[in-house]
Amino acid sequence: MSQLQTSKRKHPIGVFDSGVGGLTVFKSIVDKLPIYDYIYLGDNARVPYGTRSFDTVYKYTLEGITKLYELGCRLVIIACNTASAKALRTIQQNDLLNFDEPFKVLGVIRPTVEELGEYSKTRHVGVFATPGTVISNSYPLEIQKLYADISVFQQACPMWVPLVENNLHNTEGGQYFIKENINQLLIQSSEIDTIILGCTHYPILLPLLNSFVPKHIKILTQGEIVSNKLEDYLYRHPEIEVLISMDSKRTFFTTEDPQSFNNKAHLFINLEVSSLHIEN
Ligand code: DGL
């Protein structure tokens, strides 16, 4: 048998999100680790997840990662904060053992929190996230586990995802909602020196946020953090790394209209993609 036939490297890395927002994380991962193959799955037909119940987010997320497994992925990154907050733990504890082959699913909240300690001097940290992520309390709980001295102030921003999805964030009306949520966060503590953008879509708002948030406050986006952590994870888990195919292939699936997905990918993160439809 040739070396190619015996190679175990036949599994792409999966990246799952409720829609296009996860492409912000995907882009950073691919920039950092370009050699691997990737499959991105956006559940655009059912976005947003941020306002849905625990049961629904869990069901949709399990369906999404199962599709990625069926498409050949044995390692999936859940780029969506809401899904990481509401579904990841249950999936890791109850569902992964039911797959025929070893299957790892990682989220974005824990890696983000691990990095946090380096940034905040005042130990007052803000989090912008969807209502679902805020209600889950995942950020405060994870932060407390690692940094008992950090006080966490959360602000749900229910309008931010629809504003981005509809490309309305640069309008006067859009900026009104963005400023309002910034004020609602900053009024909770005058000592906040670090803000986590705990949602895939929010990095697209970064230029606006940087112009509205006082300059001394550091705004953390997740793309670079998650890609660094993934590199580290693969280094620490050679038994998984050795399974991943390395032809630099990228494949995109959406549960909605591929053309609309392609347009948003281009508009929001300047990524040229040719996505395929997959049923949800
Ligand atoms: N992907 C979601 C998140 O990061 C935002 C979009 C949604 O609500 O589905 O929380």
Side-chain angles (χ1 to χ4, degrees):
M1 261 198 235
S2 74
Q3 210 181 1
L4 200 65
Q5 282 168 313
T6 55
S7 171
K8 288 195 274 182
R9 290 195 175 275
K10 54 186 182 192
H11 301 289
I13 296 175
V15 179
F16 176 71
D17 185 43
S18 55
V20 283
L23 290 172
T24 56
V25 174
F26 173 85
K27 193 166 185 289
S28 297
I29 292 177
V30 168
D31 285 349
K32 178 92 190 170
L33 304 165
I35 188 81
Y36 297 121
D37 293 349
Y38 295 90
I39 299 180
Y40 183 95
L41 170 56
D43 191 8
N44 297 75
R46 303 191 289 196
V47 74
Y49 283 12
T51 46
R52 296 187 191 275
S53 70
F54 272 82
D55 286 352
T56 304
V57 173
Y58 165 66
K59 178 177 177 288
Y60 290 176
T61 305
L62 183 57
E63 287 171 2
I65 62 130
T66 302
K67 278 199 183 74
L68 285 166
Y69 179 90
E70 287 163 359
L71 291 165
C73 302
R74 295 297 176 266
L75 171 65
V76 168
I77 315 301
I78 296 184
C80 177
N81 281 265
T82 308
S84 296
K86 290 186 157 187
L88 179 64
R89 187 174 297 263
T90 313
I91 286 174
Q92 285 174 333
Q93 288 175 352
N94 297 349
D95 298 300
L96 293 184
L97 287 173
N98 299 330
F99 289 84
D100 295 341
E101 291 180 22
F103 184 27
K104 299 283 176 200
V105 179
L106 310 174
V108 287
I109 293 180
R110 178 77 188 202
T112 307
V113 168
E114 281 172 2
E115 287 296 290
L116 182 63
E118 288 179 22
Y119 289 96
S120 177
K121 303 246 174 318
T122 60
R123 314 312 268 172
H124 280 216
V125 168
V127 178
F128 287 130
T130 64
T133 300
V134 168
I135 288 166
S136 77
N137 236 10
S138 293
Y139 273 100
L141 290 171
E142 286 296 332
I143 291 170
Q144 276 309 300
K145 279 187 213 159
L146 295 186
Y147 312 105
D149 61 327
I150 290 185
S151 303
V152 186
F153 304 89
Q154 302 192 90
Q155 182 58 47
C157 310
M159 292 301 290
W160 291 15
V161 168
L163 286 175
V164 170
E165 285 283 332
N166 295 295
N167 199 21
L168 290 171
H169 46 287
N170 282 312
T171 62
E172 206 180 314
Q175 293 187 16
Y176 168 84
F177 287 108
I178 294 168
K179 284 182 187 162
E180 186 172 69
N181 288 143
I182 291 172
N183 292 338
Q184 286 167 338
L185 176 68
L186 296 183
I187 211 164
Q188 296 181 49
S189 163
S190 57
E191 288 178 57
I192 292 172
D193 68 349
T194 308
I195 295 176
I196 296 172
L197 297 190
C199 172
T200 47
H201 286 60
Y202 298 176
I204 292 158
L205 303 175
L206 194 59
L208 285 173
L209 295 171
N210 274 328
S211 69
F212 297 150
V213 168
K215 294 278 169 283
H216 70 278
I217 298 179
K218 168 87 185 151
I219 300 178
L220 292 187
T221 55
Q222 296 179 306
E224 204 183 321
I225 294 173
V226 172
S227 53
N228 286 340
K229 290 285 177 187
L230 178 60
E231 183 180 44
D232 180 53
Y233 178 87
L234 293 173
Y235 179 74
R236 287 185 292 106
H237 293 276
E239 76 286 2
I240 293 168
E241 197 282 334
V242 80
L243 301 176
I244 301 170
S245 47
M246 300 174 87
D247 292 317
S248 300
K249 257 178 78 179
R250 287 91 176 88
T251 312
F252 299 87
F253 288 98
T254 172
T255 55
E256 243 287 338
D257 171 40
Q259 193 54 50
S260 153
F261 183 94
N262 300 348
N263 291 345
K264 284 180 181 171
H266 173 73
L267 187 64
F268 296 141
I269 35 181
N270 214 6
L271 201 63
E272 299 306 326
V273 309
S274 180
S275 62
L276 303 164
H277 179 78
I278 192 168
E279 283 304 318
N280 58 28

